[in-house]
Amino acid sequence: RKFAHKIVNWSKEVFSQDTPSLFTGLEADLHACEHRLDEAKDCMVRLQVTVGTKLKALNLVTHYKLATYNLAGLNFAESVGFFESAYKVHMQVERRAMVPFMACYAG
């Protein structure tokens, strides 16, 4: 965990905080591992707003991660919405491997 913190701190020095990078995803997972789910969700929202709309695969990841963070926090209604939007993105980019899995969680 110390090494992950070092990487996140390094990325904050190198990259502008106004433009989240893939390191923002690492930071989000680090927060989630430390049971700081609100901070993890904030990281994913920042990533989704700036990068997710341009890169469809990353848009899928941000929706999926937001779903799992909400599920971990027992926010089931929000989790369902994010799983549903994740599998819709997955289908739009003509990938189908995770659709049944996410559809089960979406209800």
Side-chain angles (χ1 to χ4, degrees), residues 71-106:
L71 189 62
L74 305 179
N75 299 319
F76 300 116
E78 288 183 45
S79 181
V80 165
F82 283 114
F83 275 120
E84 185 175 359
S85 60
Y87 82 71
K88 285 180 180 177
V89 170
H90 203 49
M91 290 178 68
Q92 285 173 351
V93 296
E94 299 181 352
R95 303 276 190 247
R96 302 272 191 300
M98 290 180 63
V99 170
F101 163 75
M102 288 186 287
C104 288
Y105 278 116

PDB file of all heavy atoms in Angstrom, residues 71-106:
ATOM      1  N   LEU A  71     -21.981  -0.607  -4.567  1.00  0.00           N
ATOM      2  CA  LEU A  71     -22.356  -1.910  -4.036  1.00  0.00           C
ATOM      3  C   LEU A  71     -21.630  -2.192  -2.723  1.00  0.00           C
ATOM      4  O   LEU A  71     -22.229  -2.655  -1.754  1.00  0.00           O
ATOM      5  CB  LEU A  71     -22.042  -2.990  -5.074  1.00  0.00           C
ATOM      6  CG  LEU A  71     -22.545  -4.399  -4.797  1.00  0.00           C
ATOM      7  CD1 LEU A  71     -24.064  -4.430  -4.712  1.00  0.00           C
ATOM      8  CD2 LEU A  71     -22.066  -5.340  -5.898  1.00  0.00           C
ATOM      9  N   ALA A  72     -20.344  -1.865  -2.686  1.00  0.00           N
ATOM     10  CA  ALA A  72     -19.562  -2.060  -1.462  1.00  0.00           C
ATOM     11  C   ALA A  72     -20.082  -1.189  -0.321  1.00  0.00           C
ATOM     12  O   ALA A  72     -20.020  -1.587   0.845  1.00  0.00           O
ATOM     13  CB  ALA A  72     -18.089  -1.745  -1.718  1.00  0.00           C
ATOM     14  N   GLY A  73     -20.611  -0.015  -0.654  1.00  0.00           N
ATOM     15  CA  GLY A  73     -21.163   0.878   0.353  1.00  0.00           C
ATOM     16  C   GLY A  73     -22.625   0.623   0.667  1.00  0.00           C
ATOM     17  O   GLY A  73     -23.268   1.398   1.371  1.00  0.00           O
ATOM     18  N   LEU A  74     -23.155  -0.470   0.119  1.00  0.00           N
ATOM     19  CA  LEU A  74     -24.549  -0.874   0.326  1.00  0.00           C
ATOM     20  C   LEU A  74     -25.553   0.140  -0.220  1.00  0.00           C
ATOM     21  O   LEU A  74     -26.678   0.229   0.260  1.00  0.00           O
ATOM     22  CB  LEU A  74     -24.825  -1.171   1.813  1.00  0.00           C
ATOM     23  CG  LEU A  74     -23.907  -2.195   2.475  1.00  0.00           C
ATOM     24  CD1 LEU A  74     -24.262  -2.369   3.946  1.00  0.00           C
ATOM     25  CD2 LEU A  74     -23.946  -3.526   1.744  1.00  0.00           C
ATOM     26  N   ASN A  75     -25.152   0.876  -1.235  1.00  0.00           N
ATOM     27  CA  ASN A  75     -26.046   1.799  -1.935  1.00  0.00           C
ATOM     28  C   ASN A  75     -26.580   1.060  -3.163  1.00  0.00           C
ATOM     29  O   ASN A  75     -26.144   1.291  -4.287  1.00  0.00           O
ATOM     30  CB  ASN A  75     -25.303   3.070  -2.366  1.00  0.00           C
ATOM     31  CG  ASN A  75     -24.746   3.812  -1.195  1.00  0.00           C
ATOM     32  OD1 ASN A  75     -25.400   3.930  -0.170  1.00  0.00           O
ATOM     33  ND2 ASN A  75     -23.531   4.314  -1.320  1.00  0.00           N
ATOM     34  N   PHE A  76     -27.522   0.168  -2.918  1.00  0.00           N
ATOM     35  CA  PHE A  76     -27.952  -0.748  -3.965  1.00  0.00           C
ATOM     36  C   PHE A  76     -28.633  -0.058  -5.147  1.00  0.00           C
ATOM     37  O   PHE A  76     -28.396  -0.419  -6.291  1.00  0.00           O
ATOM     38  CB  PHE A  76     -28.860  -1.828  -3.380  1.00  0.00           C
ATOM     39  CG  PHE A  76     -28.174  -2.647  -2.319  1.00  0.00           C
ATOM     40  CD1 PHE A  76     -28.632  -2.630  -1.013  1.00  0.00           C
ATOM     41  CD2 PHE A  76     -27.057  -3.405  -2.622  1.00  0.00           C
ATOM     42  CE1 PHE A  76     -27.990  -3.373  -0.027  1.00  0.00           C
ATOM     43  CE2 PHE A  76     -26.410  -4.147  -1.648  1.00  0.00           C
ATOM     44  CZ  PHE A  76     -26.882  -4.136  -0.344  1.00  0.00           C
ATOM     45  N   ALA A  77     -29.483   0.917  -4.876  1.00  0.00           N
ATOM     46  CA  ALA A  77     -30.200   1.587  -5.965  1.00  0.00           C
ATOM     47  C   ALA A  77     -29.225   2.298  -6.904  1.00  0.00           C
ATOM     48  O   ALA A  77     -29.344   2.201  -8.135  1.00  0.00           O
ATOM     49  CB  ALA A  77     -31.218   2.568  -5.402  1.00  0.00           C
ATOM     50  N   GLU A  78     -28.259   3.010  -6.337  1.00  0.00           N
ATOM     51  CA  GLU A  78     -27.261   3.683  -7.178  1.00  0.00           C
ATOM     52  C   GLU A  78     -26.411   2.669  -7.931  1.00  0.00           C
ATOM     53  O   GLU A  78     -26.074   2.866  -9.095  1.00  0.00           O
ATOM     54  CB  GLU A  78     -26.375   4.593  -6.328  1.00  0.00           C
ATOM     55  CG  GLU A  78     -27.081   5.841  -5.837  1.00  0.00           C
ATOM     56  CD  GLU A  78     -26.146   6.753  -5.066  1.00  0.00           C
ATOM     57  OE1 GLU A  78     -25.021   6.970  -5.543  1.00  0.00           O
ATOM     58  OE2 GLU A  78     -26.552   7.220  -3.994  1.00  0.00           O
ATOM     59  N   SER A  79     -26.079   1.576  -7.261  1.00  0.00           N
ATOM     60  CA  SER A  79     -25.265   0.542  -7.879  1.00  0.00           C
ATOM     61  C   SER A  79     -25.962  -0.041  -9.104  1.00  0.00           C
ATOM     62  O   SER A  79     -25.347  -0.210 -10.159  1.00  0.00           O
ATOM     63  CB  SER A  79     -24.979  -0.562  -6.858  1.00  0.00           C
ATOM     64  OG  SER A  79     -24.181  -1.554  -7.416  1.00  0.00           O
ATOM     65  N   VAL A  80     -27.248  -0.307  -8.977  1.00  0.00           N
ATOM     66  CA  VAL A  80     -28.016  -0.865 -10.096  1.00  0.00           C
ATOM     67  C   VAL A  80     -27.958   0.073 -11.299  1.00  0.00           C
ATOM     68  O   VAL A  80     -27.738  -0.359 -12.430  1.00  0.00           O
ATOM     69  CB  VAL A  80     -29.484  -1.126  -9.670  1.00  0.00           C
ATOM     70  CG1 VAL A  80     -30.375  -1.354 -10.873  1.00  0.00           C
ATOM     71  CG2 VAL A  80     -29.560  -2.311  -8.731  1.00  0.00           C
ATOM     72  N   GLY A  81     -28.140   1.368 -11.063  1.00  0.00           N
ATOM     73  CA  GLY A  81     -28.100   2.338 -12.158  1.00  0.00           C
ATOM     74  C   GLY A  81     -26.766   2.356 -12.870  1.00  0.00           C
ATOM     75  O   GLY A  81     -26.711   2.416 -14.109  1.00  0.00           O
ATOM     76  N   PHE A  82     -25.683   2.273 -12.114  1.00  0.00           N
ATOM     77  CA  PHE A  82     -24.357   2.284 -12.736  1.00  0.00           C
ATOM     78  C   PHE A  82     -24.057   0.979 -13.473  1.00  0.00           C
ATOM     79  O   PHE A  82     -23.432   0.989 -14.527  1.00  0.00           O
ATOM     80  CB  PHE A  82     -23.266   2.605 -11.716  1.00  0.00           C
ATOM     81  CG  PHE A  82     -23.189   4.049 -11.361  1.00  0.00           C
ATOM     82  CD1 PHE A  82     -23.495   4.476 -10.082  1.00  0.00           C
ATOM     83  CD2 PHE A  82     -22.832   4.999 -12.301  1.00  0.00           C
ATOM     84  CE1 PHE A  82     -23.432   5.824  -9.743  1.00  0.00           C
ATOM     85  CE2 PHE A  82     -22.775   6.344 -11.987  1.00  0.00           C
ATOM     86  CZ  PHE A  82     -23.073   6.752 -10.690  1.00  0.00           C
ATOM     87  N   PHE A  83     -24.497  -0.167 -12.924  1.00  0.00           N
ATOM     88  CA  PHE A  83     -24.319  -1.428 -13.648  1.00  0.00           C
ATOM     89  C   PHE A  83     -25.094  -1.389 -14.960  1.00  0.00           C
ATOM     90  O   PHE A  83     -24.601  -1.828 -16.000  1.00  0.00           O
ATOM     91  CB  PHE A  83     -24.759  -2.630 -12.815  1.00  0.00           C
ATOM     92  CG  PHE A  83     -23.706  -3.156 -11.890  1.00  0.00           C
ATOM     93  CD1 PHE A  83     -23.927  -3.189 -10.519  1.00  0.00           C
ATOM     94  CD2 PHE A  83     -22.493  -3.628 -12.379  1.00  0.00           C
ATOM     95  CE1 PHE A  83     -22.948  -3.675  -9.655  1.00  0.00           C
ATOM     96  CE2 PHE A  83     -21.516  -4.123 -11.521  1.00  0.00           C
ATOM     97  CZ  PHE A  83     -21.753  -4.144 -10.159  1.00  0.00           C
ATOM     98  N   GLU A  84     -26.308  -0.844 -14.911  1.00  0.00           N
ATOM     99  CA  GLU A  84     -27.121  -0.760 -16.121  1.00  0.00           C
ATOM    100  C   GLU A  84     -26.452   0.127 -17.173  1.00  0.00           C
ATOM    101  O   GLU A  84     -26.362  -0.235 -18.347  1.00  0.00           O
ATOM    102  CB  GLU A  84     -28.507  -0.221 -15.793  1.00  0.00           C
ATOM    103  CG  GLU A  84     -29.447  -0.228 -16.966  1.00  0.00           C
ATOM    104  CD  GLU A  84     -30.855   0.202 -16.603  1.00  0.00           C
ATOM    105  OE1 GLU A  84     -31.121   0.488 -15.425  1.00  0.00           O
ATOM    106  OE2 GLU A  84     -31.688   0.253 -17.523  1.00  0.00           O
ATOM    107  N   SER A  85     -25.960   1.285 -16.741  1.00  0.00           N
ATOM    108  CA  SER A  85     -25.299   2.163 -17.718  1.00  0.00           C
ATOM    109  C   SER A  85     -23.998   1.547 -18.212  1.00  0.00           C
ATOM    110  O   SER A  85     -23.631   1.725 -19.379  1.00  0.00           O
ATOM    111  CB  SER A  85     -25.064   3.554 -17.120  1.00  0.00           C
ATOM    112  OG  SER A  85     -24.264   3.499 -15.978  1.00  0.00           O
ATOM    113  N   ALA A  86     -23.301   0.787 -17.370  1.00  0.00           N
ATOM    114  CA  ALA A  86     -22.061   0.124 -17.792  1.00  0.00           C
ATOM    115  C   ALA A  86     -22.345  -0.914 -18.877  1.00  0.00           C
ATOM    116  O   ALA A  86     -21.639  -0.968 -19.886  1.00  0.00           O
ATOM    117  CB  ALA A  86     -21.369  -0.528 -16.602  1.00  0.00           C
ATOM    118  N   TYR A  87     -23.378  -1.722 -18.690  1.00  0.00           N
ATOM    119  CA  TYR A  87     -23.606  -2.733 -19.736  1.00  0.00           C
ATOM    120  C   TYR A  87     -24.152  -2.110 -21.001  1.00  0.00           C
ATOM    121  O   TYR A  87     -23.908  -2.616 -22.105  1.00  0.00           O
ATOM    122  CB  TYR A  87     -24.412  -3.930 -19.238  1.00  0.00           C
ATOM    123  CG  TYR A  87     -25.911  -3.841 -19.180  1.00  0.00           C
ATOM    124  CD1 TYR A  87     -26.690  -3.827 -20.337  1.00  0.00           C
ATOM    125  CD2 TYR A  87     -26.555  -3.828 -17.964  1.00  0.00           C
ATOM    126  CE1 TYR A  87     -28.070  -3.787 -20.273  1.00  0.00           C
ATOM    127  CE2 TYR A  87     -27.938  -3.781 -17.893  1.00  0.00           C
ATOM    128  CZ  TYR A  87     -28.688  -3.760 -19.048  1.00  0.00           C
ATOM    129  OH  TYR A  87     -30.045  -3.715 -18.978  1.00  0.00           O
ATOM    130  N   LYS A  88     -24.857  -0.980 -20.912  1.00  0.00           N
ATOM    131  CA  LYS A  88     -25.300  -0.295 -22.128  1.00  0.00           C
ATOM    132  C   LYS A  88     -24.102   0.236 -22.915  1.00  0.00           C
ATOM    133  O   LYS A  88     -24.063   0.129 -24.140  1.00  0.00           O
ATOM    134  CB  LYS A  88     -26.266   0.837 -21.781  1.00  0.00           C
ATOM    135  CG  LYS A  88     -27.641   0.329 -21.403  1.00  0.00           C
ATOM    136  CD  LYS A  88     -28.585   1.465 -21.074  1.00  0.00           C
ATOM    137  CE  LYS A  88     -29.949   0.915 -20.691  1.00  0.00           C
ATOM    138  NZ  LYS A  88     -30.881   1.975 -20.301  1.00  0.00           N
ATOM    139  N   VAL A  89     -23.126   0.805 -22.206  1.00  0.00           N
ATOM    140  CA  VAL A  89     -21.898   1.261 -22.869  1.00  0.00           C
ATOM    141  C   VAL A  89     -21.191   0.064 -23.498  1.00  0.00           C
ATOM    142  O   VAL A  89     -20.730   0.127 -24.638  1.00  0.00           O
ATOM    143  CB  VAL A  89     -20.955   1.988 -21.882  1.00  0.00           C
ATOM    144  CG1 VAL A  89     -19.589   2.230 -22.512  1.00  0.00           C
ATOM    145  CG2 VAL A  89     -21.569   3.288 -21.408  1.00  0.00           C
ATOM    146  N   HIS A  90     -21.139  -1.031 -22.759  1.00  0.00           N
ATOM    147  CA  HIS A  90     -20.477  -2.246 -23.240  1.00  0.00           C
ATOM    148  C   HIS A  90     -21.110  -2.730 -24.540  1.00  0.00           C
ATOM    149  O   HIS A  90     -20.411  -3.127 -25.480  1.00  0.00           O
ATOM    150  CB  HIS A  90     -20.576  -3.310 -22.153  1.00  0.00           C
ATOM    151  CG  HIS A  90     -19.541  -4.378 -22.227  1.00  0.00           C
ATOM    152  ND1 HIS A  90     -18.205  -4.133 -22.356  1.00  0.00           N
ATOM    153  CD2 HIS A  90     -19.667  -5.728 -22.188  1.00  0.00           C
ATOM    154  CE1 HIS A  90     -17.534  -5.271 -22.380  1.00  0.00           C
ATOM    155  NE2 HIS A  90     -18.400  -6.247 -22.291  1.00  0.00           N
ATOM    156  N   MET A  91     -22.418  -2.685 -24.620  1.00  0.00           N
ATOM    157  CA  MET A  91     -23.111  -3.116 -25.830  1.00  0.00           C
ATOM    158  C   MET A  91     -22.913  -2.120 -26.976  1.00  0.00           C
ATOM    159  O   MET A  91     -22.788  -2.524 -28.131  1.00  0.00           O
ATOM    160  CB  MET A  91     -24.591  -3.331 -25.542  1.00  0.00           C
ATOM    161  CG  MET A  91     -24.826  -4.553 -24.672  1.00  0.00           C
ATOM    162  SD  MET A  91     -26.543  -4.840 -24.258  1.00  0.00           S
ATOM    163  CE  MET A  91     -27.206  -5.283 -25.855  1.00  0.00           C
ATOM    164  N   GLN A  92     -22.845  -0.814 -26.659  1.00  0.00           N
ATOM    165  CA  GLN A  92     -22.644   0.198 -27.693  1.00  0.00           C
ATOM    166  C   GLN A  92     -21.307   0.024 -28.401  1.00  0.00           C
ATOM    167  O   GLN A  92     -21.188   0.310 -29.585  1.00  0.00           O
ATOM    168  CB  GLN A  92     -22.717   1.612 -27.101  1.00  0.00           C
ATOM    169  CG  GLN A  92     -24.104   2.065 -26.767  1.00  0.00           C
ATOM    170  CD  GLN A  92     -24.097   3.397 -26.037  1.00  0.00           C
ATOM    171  OE1 GLN A  92     -23.039   3.906 -25.641  1.00  0.00           O
ATOM    172  NE2 GLN A  92     -25.267   3.962 -25.842  1.00  0.00           N
ATOM    173  N   VAL A  93     -20.305  -0.416 -27.667  1.00  0.00           N
ATOM    174  CA  VAL A  93     -18.989  -0.610 -28.275  1.00  0.00           C
ATOM    175  C   VAL A  93     -18.833  -2.039 -28.823  1.00  0.00           C
ATOM    176  O   VAL A  93     -17.744  -2.476 -29.146  1.00  0.00           O
ATOM    177  CB  VAL A  93     -17.832  -0.260 -27.301  1.00  0.00           C
ATOM    178  CG1 VAL A  93     -17.862   1.205 -26.954  1.00  0.00           C
ATOM    179  CG2 VAL A  93     -17.868  -1.117 -26.054  1.00  0.00           C
ATOM    180  N   GLU A  94     -19.973  -2.725 -28.904  1.00  0.00           N
ATOM    181  CA  GLU A  94     -20.057  -4.061 -29.477  1.00  0.00           C
ATOM    182  C   GLU A  94     -19.178  -5.094 -28.773  1.00  0.00           C
ATOM    183  O   GLU A  94     -18.547  -5.943 -29.396  1.00  0.00           O
ATOM    184  CB  GLU A  94     -19.784  -4.016 -30.980  1.00  0.00           C
ATOM    185  CG  GLU A  94     -20.791  -3.158 -31.712  1.00  0.00           C
ATOM    186  CD  GLU A  94     -20.574  -3.118 -33.205  1.00  0.00           C
ATOM    187  OE1 GLU A  94     -19.538  -3.629 -33.700  1.00  0.00           O
ATOM    188  OE2 GLU A  94     -21.450  -2.578 -33.881  1.00  0.00           O
ATOM    189  N   ARG A  95     -19.171  -4.997 -27.484  1.00  0.00           N
ATOM    190  CA  ARG A  95     -18.546  -6.013 -26.647  1.00  0.00           C
ATOM    191  C   ARG A  95     -19.685  -6.654 -25.869  1.00  0.00           C
ATOM    192  O   ARG A  95     -20.606  -5.982 -25.438  1.00  0.00           O
ATOM    193  CB  ARG A  95     -17.544  -5.398 -25.674  1.00  0.00           C
ATOM    194  CG  ARG A  95     -16.455  -4.605 -26.346  1.00  0.00           C
ATOM    195  CD  ARG A  95     -15.341  -5.539 -26.798  1.00  0.00           C
ATOM    196  NE  ARG A  95     -14.208  -4.768 -27.228  1.00  0.00           N
ATOM    197  CZ  ARG A  95     -13.782  -4.721 -28.470  1.00  0.00           C
ATOM    198  NH1 ARG A  95     -14.408  -5.382 -29.399  1.00  0.00           N
ATOM    199  NH2 ARG A  95     -12.733  -4.012 -28.789  1.00  0.00           N
ATOM    200  N   ARG A  96     -19.635  -7.940 -25.688  1.00  0.00           N
ATOM    201  CA  ARG A  96     -20.747  -8.584 -25.018  1.00  0.00           C
ATOM    202  C   ARG A  96     -20.321  -9.475 -23.841  1.00  0.00           C
ATOM    203  O   ARG A  96     -21.155 -10.009 -23.149  1.00  0.00           O
ATOM    204  CB  ARG A  96     -21.545  -9.447 -26.015  1.00  0.00           C
ATOM    205  CG  ARG A  96     -22.107  -8.702 -27.203  1.00  0.00           C
ATOM    206  CD  ARG A  96     -23.462  -8.128 -26.899  1.00  0.00           C
ATOM    207  NE  ARG A  96     -24.237  -7.594 -27.990  1.00  0.00           N
ATOM    208  CZ  ARG A  96     -23.912  -6.605 -28.801  1.00  0.00           C
ATOM    209  NH1 ARG A  96     -22.735  -6.064 -28.727  1.00  0.00           N
ATOM    210  NH2 ARG A  96     -24.748  -6.157 -29.705  1.00  0.00           N
ATOM    211  N   ALA A  97     -19.051  -9.644 -23.621  1.00  0.00           N
ATOM    212  CA  ALA A  97     -18.571 -10.617 -22.639  1.00  0.00           C
ATOM    213  C   ALA A  97     -19.094 -10.369 -21.227  1.00  0.00           C
ATOM    214  O   ALA A  97     -19.451 -11.304 -20.520  1.00  0.00           O
ATOM    215  CB  ALA A  97     -17.045 -10.643 -22.628  1.00  0.00           C
ATOM    216  N   MET A  98     -19.165  -9.116 -20.812  1.00  0.00           N
ATOM    217  CA  MET A  98     -19.572  -8.820 -19.436  1.00  0.00           C
ATOM    218  C   MET A  98     -21.057  -8.500 -19.314  1.00  0.00           C
ATOM    219  O   MET A  98     -21.547  -8.296 -18.216  1.00  0.00           O
ATOM    220  CB  MET A  98     -18.753  -7.646 -18.883  1.00  0.00           C
ATOM    221  CG  MET A  98     -17.302  -7.990 -18.641  1.00  0.00           C
ATOM    222  SD  MET A  98     -16.349  -6.593 -17.988  1.00  0.00           S
ATOM    223  CE  MET A  98     -17.123  -6.294 -16.426  1.00  0.00           C
ATOM    224  N   VAL A  99     -21.790  -8.452 -20.408  1.00  0.00           N
ATOM    225  CA  VAL A  99     -23.193  -8.045 -20.364  1.00  0.00           C
ATOM    226  C   VAL A  99     -24.027  -8.931 -19.440  1.00  0.00           C
ATOM    227  O   VAL A  99     -24.748  -8.414 -18.581  1.00  0.00           O
ATOM    228  CB  VAL A  99     -23.801  -7.959 -21.779  1.00  0.00           C
ATOM    229  CG1 VAL A  99     -25.297  -7.773 -21.724  1.00  0.00           C
ATOM    230  CG2 VAL A  99     -23.158  -6.805 -22.536  1.00  0.00           C
ATOM    231  N   PRO A 100     -23.977 -10.258 -19.554  1.00  0.00           N
ATOM    232  CA  PRO A 100     -24.810 -11.071 -18.649  1.00  0.00           C
ATOM    233  C   PRO A 100     -24.476 -10.838 -17.175  1.00  0.00           C
ATOM    234  O   PRO A 100     -25.367 -10.747 -16.338  1.00  0.00           O
ATOM    235  CB  PRO A 100     -24.493 -12.509 -19.063  1.00  0.00           C
ATOM    236  CG  PRO A 100     -23.989 -12.398 -20.458  1.00  0.00           C
ATOM    237  CD  PRO A 100     -23.278 -11.070 -20.533  1.00  0.00           C
ATOM    238  N   PHE A 101     -23.210 -10.719 -16.888  1.00  0.00           N
ATOM    239  CA  PHE A 101     -22.768 -10.485 -15.513  1.00  0.00           C
ATOM    240  C   PHE A 101     -23.322  -9.174 -14.968  1.00  0.00           C
ATOM    241  O   PHE A 101     -23.908  -9.113 -13.891  1.00  0.00           O
ATOM    242  CB  PHE A 101     -21.240 -10.513 -15.476  1.00  0.00           C
ATOM    243  CG  PHE A 101     -20.639  -9.906 -14.249  1.00  0.00           C
ATOM    244  CD1 PHE A 101     -20.682 -10.585 -13.045  1.00  0.00           C
ATOM    245  CD2 PHE A 101     -20.033  -8.666 -14.292  1.00  0.00           C
ATOM    246  CE1 PHE A 101     -20.126 -10.041 -11.906  1.00  0.00           C
ATOM    247  CE2 PHE A 101     -19.469  -8.118 -13.163  1.00  0.00           C
ATOM    248  CZ  PHE A 101     -19.518  -8.806 -11.970  1.00  0.00           C
ATOM    249  N   MET A 102     -23.164  -8.102 -15.735  1.00  0.00           N
ATOM    250  CA  MET A 102     -23.627  -6.776 -15.283  1.00  0.00           C
ATOM    251  C   MET A 102     -25.150  -6.710 -15.284  1.00  0.00           C
ATOM    252  O   MET A 102     -25.739  -6.039 -14.440  1.00  0.00           O
ATOM    253  CB  MET A 102     -23.018  -5.660 -16.123  1.00  0.00           C
ATOM    254  CG  MET A 102     -21.545  -5.462 -15.832  1.00  0.00           C
ATOM    255  SD  MET A 102     -20.839  -4.044 -16.686  1.00  0.00           S
ATOM    256  CE  MET A 102     -20.750  -4.635 -18.352  1.00  0.00           C
ATOM    257  N   ALA A 103     -25.788  -7.382 -16.214  1.00  0.00           N
ATOM    258  CA  ALA A 103     -27.249  -7.377 -16.274  1.00  0.00           C
ATOM    259  C   ALA A 103     -27.833  -8.035 -15.026  1.00  0.00           C
ATOM    260  O   ALA A 103     -28.867  -7.589 -14.515  1.00  0.00           O
ATOM    261  CB  ALA A 103     -27.738  -8.095 -17.524  1.00  0.00           C
ATOM    262  N   CYS A 104     -27.177  -9.065 -14.515  1.00  0.00           N
ATOM    263  CA  CYS A 104     -27.652  -9.705 -13.277  1.00  0.00           C
ATOM    264  C   CYS A 104     -27.632  -8.707 -12.123  1.00  0.00           C
ATOM    265  O   CYS A 104     -28.574  -8.656 -11.325  1.00  0.00           O
ATOM    266  CB  CYS A 104     -26.771 -10.907 -12.934  1.00  0.00           C
ATOM    267  SG  CYS A 104     -27.023 -12.300 -14.027  1.00  0.00           S
ATOM    268  N   TYR A 105     -26.571  -7.927 -12.013  1.00  0.00           N
ATOM    269  CA  TYR A 105     -26.491  -6.935 -10.947  1.00  0.00           C
ATOM    270  C   TYR A 105     -27.464  -5.785 -11.164  1.00  0.00           C
ATOM    271  O   TYR A 105     -27.964  -5.199 -10.221  1.00  0.00           O
ATOM    272  CB  TYR A 105     -25.078  -6.373 -10.823  1.00  0.00           C
ATOM    273  CG  TYR A 105     -24.160  -7.253 -10.035  1.00  0.00           C
ATOM    274  CD1 TYR A 105     -23.042  -7.844 -10.623  1.00  0.00           C
ATOM    275  CD2 TYR A 105     -24.400  -7.524  -8.692  1.00  0.00           C
ATOM    276  CE1 TYR A 105     -22.196  -8.651  -9.906  1.00  0.00           C
ATOM    277  CE2 TYR A 105     -23.557  -8.337  -7.966  1.00  0.00           C
ATOM    278  CZ  TYR A 105     -22.458  -8.896  -8.580  1.00  0.00           C
ATOM    279  OH  TYR A 105     -21.626  -9.697  -7.862  1.00  0.00           O
ATOM    280  N   ALA A 106     -27.736  -5.457 -12.426  1.00  0.00           N
ATOM    281  CA  ALA A 106     -28.636  -4.344 -12.731  1.00  0.00           C
ATOM    282  C   ALA A 106     -30.088  -4.716 -12.458  1.00  0.00           C
ATOM    283  O   ALA A 106     -30.937  -3.844 -12.335  1.00  0.00           O
ATOM    284  CB  ALA A 106     -28.463  -3.895 -14.178  1.00  0.00           C
TER     285      ALA A 106
END
